[in-house]
Amino acid sequence: MSTQAETKAKAEALVPKFKFEKLLNQDQAGRRTSLLGTIDSLPALLILERAPFPSSPNYLASVPTTLQTLKNLGANDIYHWYLANSSSQNPSDETADLKINLIHPCTERHIKKYSKQGVRLVSETPQIYLERVRPYMQAQRDAGRLNWVFNIVEGRTEVEDVIYRTPFDAASLNEEGFLLLPDLNWDRQTLDALHLLGLVERRDIWSLRDLKKKHIPWLNHMKEKFIEATTKVYPSIEADQLKLYVHYQPTYYHFHIHIVHVQLEAGATQATGKAVGLDSIISQLETMGGGDEAGMDRTTMSYTLGEASDLWVEVFEPLKRAGGKASQSQ
């Protein structure tokens, strides 16, 4: 009978003998890869999955200073994004194993957003929106946190990244104008993880709450153009392989639409309580009673918030303590 040590040694000896034949699949945005091949002339499947980052402070402190390659993909205001190689074995763009986002200088709000925290499910009624959330949105816009968006919309940065935009005049922004470019979270290589961002030129629509029945033709036109442009630039992707959605609450209060590949695995950013399908919004507006001015500000929206977020601390937690039914723990 083999000992445990012998069994482990025998198992460990198999992997180096794997002879690659075919890539079967990549999922989890390319972080898991399934390969077909042989070991000792017998068919074998090898599934490679990137392990979680070690949590050792020494390791984490060493990562930025030990990168073998670092290529900037873009920079706008305080945001920078890169592809990098942590391995010294044949470092290149093709073998890059890290997608890095840098926010510098970051704010306390950024730190809260990216920190581990509890999550709450809240219900935002039209009254809460009007009296509490809308003023909060106004305060965020007044704080100058949209500079990086305006840089793009006004053609000052990321011009070379724009995939499509309506006729543009920097002297006079088009009320129905919009543009399309890669989202900073996409590595610009893995098509199954494609993530594009559609930005509108107009500044009076902060979120889906500002959409009204009169905007339906404009929304349909944007949807058509975003899909058309995406499938033209990435011809291996077909129209029915794309999802379009918006976030509520969004990260920033300038209306934008996310365009992603349907195989991009749905993490927290696509989950119920965060993402709302563009088709669902259009349908809701179409079936809504009232005239052209009737809109999404009349509905009750349920969504998730981190307990460290300003919106929870400043709006919904006080409502809960005052006896309202604004939230449920998750």
Side-chain angles (χ1 to χ4, degrees):
M1 181 180 292
S2 298
T3 66
Q4 184 176 6
E6 290 172 336
T7 300
K8 288 180 63 176
K10 184 176 180 180
E12 290 168 359
L14 289 173
V15 175
K17 295 164 69 176
F18 180 83
K19 293 184 178 180
F20 170 76
E21 292 182 352
K22 182 180 180 181
L23 170 64
L24 295 179
N25 189 26
Q26 283 190 322
D27 53 13
Q28 293 187 0
R31 290 187 293 273
R32 184 169 61 198
T33 299
S34 300
L35 309 177
L36 176 65
T38 61
I39 295 176
D40 296 333
S41 301
L42 296 174
L45 282 172
L46 186 67
I47 296 108
L48 306 175
E49 186 169 352
R50 296 194 187 278
F53 284 101
S55 57
S56 160
N58 289 337
Y59 166 79
L60 295 174
S62 72
V63 171
T65 60
T66 57
L67 297 173
Q68 299 301 308
T69 64
L70 183 67
K71 178 182 179 181
N72 178 243
L73 296 176
N76 184 346
D77 197 50
I78 63 174
Y79 301 97
H80 316 75
W81 45 104
Y82 313 82
L83 278 181
N85 231 299
S86 61
S87 170
S88 59
Q89 185 174 0
N90 301 319
S92 68
D93 288 353
E94 187 176 342
T95 59
D97 58 351
L98 290 176
K99 166 69 170 60
I100 297 175
N101 292 347
L102 171 67
I103 304 174
H104 172 71
C106 68
T107 65
E108 185 64 28
R109 189 164 181 258
H110 291 119
I111 295 171
K112 289 178 180 178
K113 176 183 176 182
Y114 287 99
S115 296
K116 186 176 182 179
Q117 57 190 288
V119 178
R120 303 284 177 148
L121 178 67
V122 303
S123 292
E124 181 186 293
T125 65
Q127 182 180 1
I128 292 175
Y129 167 69
L130 181 63
E131 296 177 359
R132 304 292 187 95
V133 177
R134 182 75 179 184
Y136 169 83
M137 291 180 174
Q138 180 71 65
Q140 302 310 303
R141 287 175 60 89
D142 291 345
R145 290 175 175 151
L146 293 174
N147 291 340
W148 71 274
V149 177
F150 298 151
N151 285 341
I152 298 172
V153 171
E154 295 171 9
R156 292 195 295 267
T157 61
E158 301 186 54
V159 177
E160 67 282 357
D161 293 330
V162 173
I163 293 170
Y164 173 86
R165 82 175 300 162
T166 51
F168 174 62
D169 180 359
S172 177
L173 294 181
N174 180 2
E175 187 174 85
E176 295 197 349
F178 50 86
L179 59 95
L180 180 68
L181 75 168
D183 186 271
L184 63 85
N185 291 308
W186 183 40
D187 65 8
R188 308 193 188 196
Q189 294 181 352
T190 312
L191 289 182
D192 284 357
L194 176 127
H195 190 163
L196 307 179
L197 186 66
L199 290 171
V200 303
E201 291 186 18
R202 62 193 299 164
R203 301 189 181 185
D204 59 330
I205 299 183
W206 302 354
S207 74
L208 65 79
R209 283 293 201 183
D210 292 309
L211 296 175
K212 302 181 184 299
K213 291 177 73 69
K214 66 182 180 182
H215 296 130
I216 292 173
W218 176 58
L219 292 171
N220 279 317
H221 177 61
M222 274 200 295
K223 173 188 171 184
E224 177 185 344
K225 290 299 182 182
F226 286 155
I227 292 174
E228 181 182 294
T230 302
T231 53
K232 182 177 180 180
V233 173
Y234 307 102
S236 64
I237 298 177
E238 299 183 22
D240 58 0
Q241 293 178 300
L242 296 172
K243 289 193 294 188
L244 284 74
Y245 62 86
V246 303
H247 284 145
Y248 196 78
Q249 288 280 329
T251 303
Y252 51 94
Y253 296 111
H254 180 97
F255 187 64
H256 55 283
I257 298 171
H258 296 267
I259 300 93
V260 303
H261 197 289
V262 293
Q263 288 190 226
L264 176 61
E265 298 204 5
T269 62
Q270 292 189 58
T272 301
K274 181 67 174 177
V276 185
L278 182 61
D279 284 337
S280 296
I281 296 171
I282 294 172
S283 177
Q284 190 166 357
L285 289 170
E286 287 174 337
T287 56
M288 186 178 289
D292 282 352
E293 292 299 318
M296 297 297 292
D297 57 347
R298 296 184 178 186
T299 67
T300 293
M301 300 289 299
S302 294
Y303 53 88
T304 56
L305 287 175
E307 291 177 342
S309 69
D310 291 339
L311 198 54
W312 169 254
V313 173
E314 296 175 16
V315 176
F316 286 97
E317 187 177 25
L319 282 172
K320 181 183 180 182
R321 289 179 175 175
K325 296 181 179 179
S327 75
Q328 303 169 33
S329 296
Q330 283 196 331

